[in-house]
Amino acid sequence: MRIFTLLLLCLCTQAQAQFPEINDYWLQAAPPNATVMAAYATLNNKSDKDILLVDAYSPAFSMTMIHQTKIIDGVAKMIHQDEIVIKPNEQLTFKPGSYHIMLMQPKFKINKGDQIKINLIYKNGEKRIVQEMWFPVEFR
Ligand SMILES: [Cu+2]
């Protein structure tokens, strides 16, 4: 009986460790005609395994991508990220001028104060797992 309880505890811990803890998540408010928006967050890997972020999806936009802005030869360029590894006890910070979730062609008018769903997609072995988040639209 005691062994059974321990096993259950282990399984629970593992299930929680699949996703990072997400803090300070927000979607940058934009003028009404904007065709491109960006969202930011801090992802903390509190597990003892690598977390692999591979994609993002928002039903509110026609296209969603994970980008990193880099200055190359004095010009800011956005580089598509196929896979970002977050090591145990490390964090990944999405912020203006760096990593961002690029949101293209909003399907409806998005206003300050709205909550917009963005799914973060991770690779866990052969599986893809989805962390569903509601990002508040803010002016910063
Ligand atoms: Cu971008």
Side-chain angles (χ1 to χ4, degrees):
M1 193 59 190
R2 194 169 197 172
I3 290 164
F4 181 69
T5 312
L6 275 175
L7 263 176
L8 268 181
L9 277 175
C10 290
L11 285 173
C12 289
T13 314
Q14 218 170 32
Q16 281 173 345
Q18 290 183 330
F19 295 120
E21 184 184 292
I22 302 192
N23 296 302
D24 196 25
Y25 48 100
W26 59 293
L27 200 164
Q28 177 79 65
N33 309 333
T35 55
V36 174
M37 297 175 84
Y40 307 99
T42 302
L43 281 58
N44 287 291
N45 182 357
K46 298 210 162 170
S47 77
D48 57 0
K49 296 193 181 84
D50 287 358
I51 291 178
L52 278 67
L53 177 67
V54 293
D55 209 351
Y57 167 77
S58 174
F61 293 85
S62 295
M63 204 192 283
T64 307
M65 284 185 183
I66 296 173
H67 282 167
Q68 184 186 21
T69 301
K70 270 191 176 168
I71 309 291
I72 298 168
D73 297 330
V75 182
K77 293 200 169 150
M78 297 196 295
I79 299 154
H80 180 252
Q81 305 290 302
D82 288 320
E83 181 177 291
I84 303 173
V85 180
I86 315 169
K87 297 268 173 207
N89 299 309
E90 288 191 359
Q91 67 176 40
L92 169 66
T93 307
F94 288 79
K95 61 183 180 195
S98 177
Y99 289 104
H100 55 277
I101 300 164
M102 191 95 184
L103 303 153
M104 283 155 277
Q105 294 157 22
K107 292 180 181 170
F108 50 87
K109 198 161 167 277
I110 293 170
N111 302 301
K112 186 186 166 203
D114 290 348
Q115 302 271 337
I116 300 296
K117 184 157 99 170
I118 301 175
N119 290 336
L120 297 170
I121 302 163
Y122 304 90
K123 201 164 90 179
N124 188 346
E126 293 304 304
K127 274 191 305 186
R128 282 176 171 239
I129 53 170
V130 176
Q131 188 176 30
E132 188 180 302
M133 300 289 298
W134 289 87
F135 280 60
V137 180
E138 296 176 4
F139 272 123
R140 288 203 191 177

